[in-house]
Amino acid sequence: MIRSVIAGIGMYVPEQVVTNQDLLKYMDTSDAWIQERTGIQERRYAHRTQETTTTMAVEASRIAIERAGITPQDIDFIVFATLSPDYYFPGCGVLLQRAMKMREIGALDVRNQCSGFVYALSVADQFIRTGTYKNILVVGSEKHSFGLDFTTRGRNVSVIFGDGAGAVVLQPSTEEGRGILSTHLHSDGDSAEILAMYNPGTHANHWKEEKYADFDDAEIGQMFFSHAMIDNGQIYPYMDGPAVFKKAVIKFPEVIMEALQANNLGPADINMLIPHQANLRIAQFVQQKLGLGDHQVYNNIQRYGNTTAASVPIALCEAWQEGRVKPGDLVCLAAFGSGFTWASALLRW
Ligand code: UT7
């Protein structure tokens, strides 16, 4: 039986450390509020002009590729998860392919926000299992710092997010019991707008208002991006935090249990749970709900904040580097976020 194994893993976080105290320069917040509600102490911000979502992905990918013992020219497919791409289009996958001088391979972008990396891993896993590709680069990278509202208006969102990238090389293996055992993907679009960045976009929600009734198509077309959007802060992410929190604490345990049950395993069998780093309180709730010990869960949101699609591979990489993920360990990856979308992956390291 062919299964996908993680043959190499890498991560990159920018040098610039931004503490909670630093954010007080821009908005009315406090270190106490941020730590109490989220567990975050500091995050990293990319260099304003010299680093992008793609350049950070390149750094993480170089390490993952080297650790897999291959070269960029050996990669035969890219799956790139991000919500903060360098361009609205084309996606970051092709930019990574170009930057790393890879062959003319396929490059796919995944837009699933916080669950993006687990979705991307699941897509790559199918290509490996079917024998289509032998070396797939799966990446999660985000440069949030470029698109946050740093006024008090946006503080409930801005204090949470940080920049960074993580990458893995997926390869086939026939070694008994090793590799990705199963992946589980879910969505519920009913709450799509409660954690979203609306503009620019084609939804035309604003233009449905009465005052725009006499505008013709060309005029409305020009309003894809407007001064009003900027003035009203509608170009920044919107989040109803408490609503997201309530759903997350239900769906995280559910999707982890789904993965365990699909493999006739239980929480006690987990050696390491890597939850998406959305909020330390959510991770602690999930840990408690599943009856997991501290040694079974890895958190690093304290140092990096929420890096969305990059959070799972960064946390997995650090856990592995610290020797907390070893050969034979049962590792569970789980994520929940905007969409809503949520997902899990169970693997034997
Ligand atoms: O990874 C993507 C998925 N996202 C998540 O999973 C996020 C889930 N939600 C959360 O993590 C939490 O809801 C937050 C951390 C975002 C917010 O924590 P909360 O305990 O739910 O706070 P809240 O939004 O209910 O706001 C409580 C108070 C409000 O003031 P009033 O109305 O009680 O006077 C906010 O205005 O805290 C205020 N507030 C802040 N105060 C200081 C909101 N943001 C801040 C801030 N600093 N940064």
Side-chain angles (χ1 to χ4, degrees), residues 326-343:
K326 299 176 290 301
D329 278 358
L330 185 70
V331 179
C332 185
L333 315 179
F336 175 91
S338 162
F340 295 129
T341 64
W342 59 102

Side-chain angles (χ1 to χ4, degrees), residues 8 15 58 64 70 93-94 181 186 192-193 196 227 272 283 298 313 328 342 348-349:
E15 255 176 51
V58 168
I70 59 171
V94 299
L181 306 178
H186 294 279
E193 280 80 16
H227 286 288
M272 188 51 72
Y298 193 85
W342 59 102
R348 184 72 67 186
W349 196 261

Side-chain angles (χ1 to χ4, degrees), residues 29 33 37-38 114 155-156 160 241-242 244 276 278-279 282 306:
T29 186
W33 190 97
R37 309 276 175 144
T38 71
C114 301
R155 66 183 178 174
N156 70 318
I160 295 175
V244 178
H276 161 54
N279 183 323
I282 294 177
N306 179 345

Side-chain angles (χ1 to χ4, degrees), residues 259-302:
L260 290 168
Q261 281 161 6
N263 294 281
N264 295 318
L265 295 162
D269 297 308
I270 295 180
N271 295 104
M272 188 51 72
L273 170 67
I274 309 280
H276 161 54
Q277 302 292 292
N279 183 323
L280 190 60
R281 307 289 160 248
I282 294 177
Q284 287 168 338
F285 186 92
V286 173
Q287 175 176 344
Q288 192 185 23
K289 176 104 181 156
L290 296 175
L292 300 174
D294 288 347
H295 63 288
Q296 288 173 287
V297 186
Y298 193 85
N299 288 303
N300 60 9
I301 190 169
Q302 300 91 329

Side-chain angles (χ1 to χ4, degrees), residues 79-85 87-92 108-117 119-120 123 139 142 196-198 200-201 308-309 338-339 341:
V79 192
F80 198 125
T82 185
L83 67 64
S84 50
Y87 301 123
Y88 189 86
F89 72 86
C92 285
L108 173 72
D109 275 57
V110 166
R111 296 197 41 178
N112 276 68
Q113 297 68 248
C114 301
S115 64
F117 182 81
Y119 263 76
V123 170
V139 188
E142 305 284 2
M197 189 175 128
Y198 303 143
T308 310
S338 162
T341 64

Side-chain angles (χ1 to χ4, degrees), residues 114-134:
C114 301
S115 64
F117 182 81
V118 185
Y119 263 76
L121 194 72
S122 177
V123 170
D125 181 40
Q126 313 309 314
F127 281 123
I128 295 281
R129 280 174 189 256
T130 53
T132 309
Y133 298 121
K134 299 267 180 284

